[in-house]
Amino acid sequence: MGKLRKGRRNQRGRVNPIARKDGTSVSKQELKDETTRQNKIVPLISQLSSSALNDRSVALNAITVLCEDKRMRKLLLKERLIPVIMEQTLTDDNDELVVESFGLLRNLTIEEGYEVAKFLWRSDIWTSIETSLTKIQSTLQFLAEDKKLDLKRTFMFYDFVENILSLIVLIASCSLDLYESIYSKIEPVVTLTVEILNWNCQKLRSVNLFNSALDFLYEFASDSAEFVVSLSQLPSFSLNTIAEAANLPAQKNNALGRVYIEGLRLHFMEVKGDYNRSKSEACAQVIQNLFSIVTPIDLNEIKKQLSAPDNAELPLQKQKQEEKPQDIDVPLGGESAEKTHAKADLQAIEIAIDILASICELLAINEQDPLQPVTLDDIVTSVILTTAFSSCLQLLKFSRENSDVIQLTTKVLMAFNNISWLFLSSVSVPVEWYGKIPELWQEIELSSVNDDLELQKTSLSVMWAMTKAVGPEVKDKVSLDNVKSLLRKCTALSQTGENPAEDMHLVFEYLLSAVGFMGSVAQVIQNTEITAEVSEFLFSLISHFVDEKNNLKDTKALEIPVECLNLIYDIFGDAEYPYDEPIFVQRSYLQRLEQMEPQVKSFYKKIDKKWSTELKLRAEEAWMNLSRFIEYKRSERQ
C-alpha cells in the first residue's frame, strides 16, 4: 500500500476525540453503547445505593430485566454491577430486595458461568449464603408450627429458598475447585434441604419449592458417590416417602419432580449396589419409569409456550390487595404459569435423557472384568430399543422440524451415542438394533446439517458406532464426496493456530469423532479411493499431533495420534485386503511408519500420567504395537 503524502492539514486531519488509540474509528454500536452506559446503566447502578427504598427496588427490577439481554448484561457487568449488588442490596434491610438480589446473581451465574461464579466465591458469597440459610431455617421452624405468613411473604420465602439452592448448585457446577470448595461446606445445606422436602411431603405447599430441593440433591448426587452415601445415612431422609408424596394427586402434573426421584433412585442403586435384582432389570425399570413420565408431555404445548412473549417488557404493575392467585406457584409478575410449567416439563425431558445416557454408561461396565464385553439381558435391551429409542427419535425429529426450539438435539444425540456404543460393548449386538440403524442414520444426517460443532461431533460419534456395527453395509450410506467434504473440514480445523475463535478442546473432540468414523468407513467401504484418502489423512494427523506445539497438551488432542495409529493397524491388518497392495505397498507406508517411529516414541514419553493414566497406557500400547506392526508388515510378503 502506498504511503499518504504529507500535505497541508485539513479538517479531516484534526484529532478525533472519540477515535480509538489504534487509529480506527469508533463504530456506531460503540457510540450507542456509550450513550446507553451514560444515560441508563450508570444511573441505574447509582440508584441501587439510594436512601429511598422505592428507588433501590425500581432500579433492581430494571437491572434484572436488562440482564436478560446479552449486550446490556455486559455493559452492566463492566460497571461493577456484582460488587455493588453484594455491597448494597444483598445486605439491605428490606428482605424483598435481598431475595431479588440473590435471584439476579443466580441469573448472572447461569448466563456467564465460571467467571461470575469464581468472582462471587472470591468475594465471599458464602458468608451471605450462610446468613440466608439461617433466615430460611428460622422461617421454616415458624411455618412448621402451623403459623402463617401473608401471601406476599410466602411467595418471597419460596423464592428465597429456590434462589439460594440454585445459586449453590450453579457455583459448584462451574469448576472442580469451586465444587470442592462448596462440597466442604455442604452438610448443613443438605440437612436443611431434606427438612424442606419433608415439610412439603406432609402437605404440598409449593411444587416449585419441592422441585428446587430435589434438584439440589439430584445435582450433587450425580457428581459424588460420597454425597449419595452421606444422604442415604441421613435419618431424616427417605426417598420412598418423597416418591409417595410426588405420586399424590396434588402433584399429578409434576413430571419434573418424579424424574428427579428416578434419577436419585438410580444413583442410590449405582453407589450402594442395592438393585434388589439384577443391574439390568433395575436399570430397565428406571428407564421404563422415566419414559412413562415424559412421553405424555405435549411437545407442541412446550413449543407454544416457549414462543409466547413474556410480559417482562411491560411496565411493572403492583398487584392489587384484593387479587389473590389461586395457585401459590403462579408468579406475581413475569412469565405466565403455563410458560413456567412448560419449562419444567422441558427440563423433565432433558434430565430423563441425561439419566438414560448415564444408564447406558453404567450398563457398559463389566464389573467382574472391565476388559471383557458385557452381557445385556432381553429385558433392558427391549426397553431401550422400544420405549427409549422411539421416544428419543421422536424428540430428534421434533427438534429438527421446529428449528430446535426445545434445544434438545445435542442431548438426544448423546443418548443415541451411548446406546450405540453400549450395544457394541456387549457380547453380541442385538439383532433388533440392526433394524433401527437405517432410520437413525437418516435422521442424524438431517439433524446435523448446521454449524454447531458440538452437535456435529456427537453425530459423527454415533455414526462411527453404527459403522462398526453394520460393516460393509455402510457403502450404501457414504460416498467419496461425503468423505472429501469431511476431510476438508477436518484439515482446516486441525490447523490450531488458524482458529482463534474456536474452542480448541471441542475442535479436538470433533476431530477424534471424525477420525474414528472415517477410519471405520475406510475398512469396509470397498472403495480404494476412499480408503486411500482417509489413510493419507490419518498419516497427516499423526505427524501433526505428535508435535506438542499442535496438540497443546490437550487430552483429546493427545488421543488423536493414538486413535489414528490404531486405525492404521486395523485398516492394513492383512495383505489379503484388496486395497493393501495399491495403498500400503505402492504408497510406501511401511517406510513412512519406520520414519515416524521415533516421533511416536517421543510423543508417548512426554504424556504425563497426571493428565490421564488411561491415555498414557493407551499411548504406550500404540507405540509398542507400532514396532510389532512394522515387523509384521515387513514379513507379510516375504
Side-chain angles (χ1 to χ4, degrees):
M1 180 184 293
K3 293 182 179 179
L4 288 173
R5 289 181 297 174
K6 293 182 180 179
R8 62 185 179 87
R9 296 185 180 184
N10 56 29
Q11 292 293 334
R12 283 182 285 183
R14 294 182 180 177
V15 175
N16 180 354
I18 60 171
R20 288 179 179 270
K21 291 182 180 180
D22 61 6
T24 59
S25 62
V26 176
S27 70
K28 289 182 180 179
Q29 184 60 57
E30 287 171 317
L31 289 172
K32 182 179 178 182
D33 287 348
E34 179 59 22
T35 301
T36 301
R37 187 190 77 81
Q38 293 180 6
N39 296 340
K40 182 177 287 187
I41 302 298
V42 172
L44 276 175
I45 290 181
S46 299
Q47 206 171 333
L48 292 174
S49 305
S50 170
S51 58
L53 172 60
N54 187 62
D55 289 348
R56 300 197 300 276
S57 178
V58 169
L60 186 60
N61 283 330
I63 287 170
T64 300
V65 173
L66 289 175
C67 280
E68 294 176 9
D69 178 81
K70 183 177 180 180
R71 181 171 290 278
M72 296 298 286
R73 186 167 64 247
K74 297 293 184 185
L75 293 174
L76 283 158
L77 290 172
K78 282 183 179 179
E79 293 300 317
R80 299 186 70 254
L81 170 63
I82 293 177
V84 173
I85 290 292
M86 293 187 69
E87 293 164 9
Q88 300 295 328
T89 56
L90 204 61
T91 57
D92 203 282
D93 293 334
N94 183 272
D95 290 339
E96 188 173 357
L97 280 184
V98 174
V99 173
E100 291 174 1
S101 296
F102 271 111
L104 176 57
L105 294 179
R106 176 202 61 195
N107 293 349
L108 289 170
T109 308
I110 290 172
E111 297 296 343
E112 299 296 325
Y114 177 71
E115 291 303 321
V116 164
K118 179 176 67 174
F119 183 86
L120 287 172
W121 188 257
R122 290 180 176 176
S123 302
D124 196 24
I125 188 64
W126 192 257
T127 297
S128 299
I129 289 174
E130 284 183 322
T131 301
S132 300
L133 292 171
T134 302
K135 290 181 180 178
I136 290 170
Q137 180 72 62
S138 175
T139 304
L140 191 62
Q141 288 175 351
F142 176 85
L143 293 171
E145 296 172 358
D146 285 332
K147 296 178 181 178
K148 303 290 184 181
L149 294 173
D150 63 51
L151 189 62
K152 181 179 179 180
R153 295 197 68 80
T154 300
F155 267 116
M156 194 163 62
F157 173 66
Y158 294 165
D159 285 345
F160 198 24
V161 175
E162 291 172 39
N163 291 344
I164 295 294
L165 294 183
S166 295
L167 184 59
I168 294 172
V169 169
L170 286 164
I171 293 174
S173 66
C174 282
S175 71
L176 181 59
D177 59 325
L178 288 173
Y179 178 89
E180 291 174 347
S181 298
I182 291 280
Y183 191 80
S184 66
K185 304 172 182 291
I186 205 69
E187 187 177 345
V189 190
V190 176
T191 303
L192 178 58
T193 303
V194 171
E195 190 176 340
I196 290 167
L197 267 175
N198 291 338
W199 179 67
N200 248 300
C201 287
Q202 296 167 8
K203 176 186 176 184
L204 181 65
R205 273 80 176 185
S206 163
V207 170
N208 291 347
L209 186 64
F210 185 78
N211 289 348
S212 293
L214 284 173
D215 173 71
F216 177 87
L217 298 181
Y218 170 77
E219 290 295 337
F220 279 96
S222 299
D223 290 325
S224 170
E226 181 185 349
F227 180 89
V228 173
V229 172
S230 299
L231 183 60
S232 68
Q233 293 173 348
L234 197 64
S236 58
F237 179 79
S238 170
L239 187 58
N240 288 335
T241 300
I242 296 167
E244 288 171 5
N247 286 316
L248 292 174
Q251 300 213 53
K252 64 179 180 180
N253 294 321
N254 184 18
L256 179 57
R258 297 200 299 279
V259 166
Y260 278 136
I261 289 165
E262 291 303 319
L264 285 167
R265 195 189 310 281
L266 174 69
H267 293 315
F268 270 65
M269 292 190 300
E270 180 183 2
V271 172
K272 299 178 69 180
D274 183 17
Y275 295 106
N276 294 326
R277 48 196 147 174
S278 74
K279 181 171 76 172
S280 287
E281 286 182 311
C283 288
Q285 187 61 60
V286 172
I287 295 172
Q288 190 68 54
N289 292 346
L290 283 172
F291 284 93
S292 68
I293 294 168
V294 300
T295 300
I297 293 174
D298 187 344
L299 296 176
N300 285 306
E301 179 63 19
I302 291 178
K303 175 189 172 183
K304 173 185 171 183
Q305 294 301 332
L306 293 184
S307 303
D310 288 327
N311 61 2
E313 300 296 329
L314 299 177
L316 295 172
Q317 294 182 349
K318 290 188 176 181
Q319 187 175 1
K320 295 179 181 178
Q321 285 290 92
E322 64 271 15
E323 291 179 354
K324 291 186 178 182
Q326 296 178 343
D327 185 344
I328 196 68
D329 288 315
V330 175
L332 289 169
E335 64 190 20
S336 66
E338 291 79 10
K339 189 164 190 173
T340 300
H341 182 69
K343 286 184 176 180
D345 278 350
L346 180 57
Q347 192 176 357
I349 297 172
E350 181 179 351
I351 294 169
I353 296 169
D354 284 340
I355 296 171
L356 171 63
S358 298
I359 288 174
C360 291
E361 289 182 352
L362 177 62
L363 290 171
I365 299 171
N366 187 327
E367 290 159 352
Q368 280 69 44
D369 186 351
L371 298 178
Q372 295 300 313
V374 296
T375 300
L376 300 174
D377 64 28
D378 293 340
I379 296 174
V380 74
T381 299
S382 176
V383 170
I384 292 173
L385 285 174
T386 53
T387 304
F389 181 89
S390 58
S391 294
C392 287
L393 195 65
Q394 180 190 4
L395 282 169
L396 199 57
K397 288 180 178 179
F398 184 89
S399 293
R400 174 175 57 80
E401 292 167 355
N402 293 278
S403 304
D404 200 22
V405 66
I406 57 175
Q407 298 184 349
L408 288 179
T409 300
T410 300
K411 280 191 176 292
V412 176
L413 286 172
M414 183 54 71
F416 277 128
N417 180 71
N418 289 10
I419 290 171
S420 304
W421 287 100
L422 169 63
F423 290 146
L424 275 179
S425 69
S426 65
V427 173
S428 60
V429 177
V431 175
E432 299 88 348
W433 176 235
Y434 293 108
K436 303 286 187 183
I437 286 176
E439 187 178 9
L440 177 58
W441 187 292
Q442 180 182 22
E443 189 55 45
I444 287 177
E445 282 189 326
L446 294 170
S447 297
S448 59
V449 182
N450 62 56
D451 296 327
D452 187 332
L453 206 62
E454 176 81 27
L455 187 152
Q456 292 178 359
K457 173 207 75 174
T458 310
S459 297
L460 284 168
S461 184
V462 183
M463 295 170 86
W464 177 7
M466 291 192 291
T467 298
K468 290 176 74 69
V470 301
E473 291 182 26
V474 78
K475 66 180 184 294
D476 299 326
K477 303 290 184 184
V478 180
S479 67
L480 181 59
D481 287 342
N482 297 147
V483 173
K484 285 188 173 182
S485 175
L486 188 53
L487 285 172
R488 284 193 298 271
K489 179 165 186 171
C490 290
T491 301
L493 286 172
S494 65
Q495 306 305 313
T496 56
E498 297 177 13
N499 294 279
E502 294 284 2
D503 175 349
M504 291 314 300
H505 185 73
L506 176 57
V507 168
F508 297 143
E509 287 183 320
Y510 175 89
L511 289 171
L512 198 56
S513 292
V515 161
F517 169 62
M518 289 190 291
S520 298
V521 166
Q523 298 172 51
V524 296
I525 194 64
Q526 298 175 13
N527 182 312
T528 300
E529 187 177 359
I530 288 181
T531 304
E533 292 264 8
V534 172
S535 302
E536 287 292 339
F537 184 61
L538 295 178
F539 270 95
S540 70
L541 286 183
I542 295 169
S543 298
H544 185 78
F545 282 106
V546 293
D547 188 334
E548 61 184 278
K549 294 196 301 293
N550 298 323
N551 62 48
L552 308 180
K553 296 183 179 180
D554 182 283
T555 52
K556 288 299 177 183
L558 294 170
E559 283 187 54
I560 292 172
V562 174
E563 190 63 46
C564 289
L565 282 167
N566 289 331
L567 287 166
I568 291 289
Y569 306 153
D570 290 340
I571 294 169
F572 300 104
D574 195 327
E576 296 300 317
Y577 293 152
Y579 53 76
D580 193 82
E581 170 69 29
I583 301 176
F584 193 89
V585 176
Q586 294 183 19
R587 294 182 181 230
S588 304
Y589 278 8
L590 182 59
Q591 290 75 22
R592 291 168 68 177
L593 288 171
E594 288 173 336
Q595 294 168 2
M596 194 178 283
E597 191 173 12
Q599 294 174 289
V600 173
K601 180 180 179 180
S602 175
F603 160 77
Y604 143 66
K605 291 289 187 181
K606 289 179 181 178
I607 295 178
D608 192 332
K609 282 185 179 180
K610 294 177 183 178
W611 300 338
S612 171
T613 303
E614 181 187 357
L615 175 58
K616 179 76 171 180
L617 292 173
R618 288 183 59 215
E620 180 181 20
E621 183 182 28
W623 169 65
M624 293 174 64
N625 285 341
L626 177 56
S627 58
R628 295 168 185 162
F629 185 72
I630 289 171
E631 287 303 315
Y632 163 70
K633 294 300 288 187
R634 186 181 291 130
S635 64
E636 200 173 25
R637 284 184 165 82
Q638 289 180 354

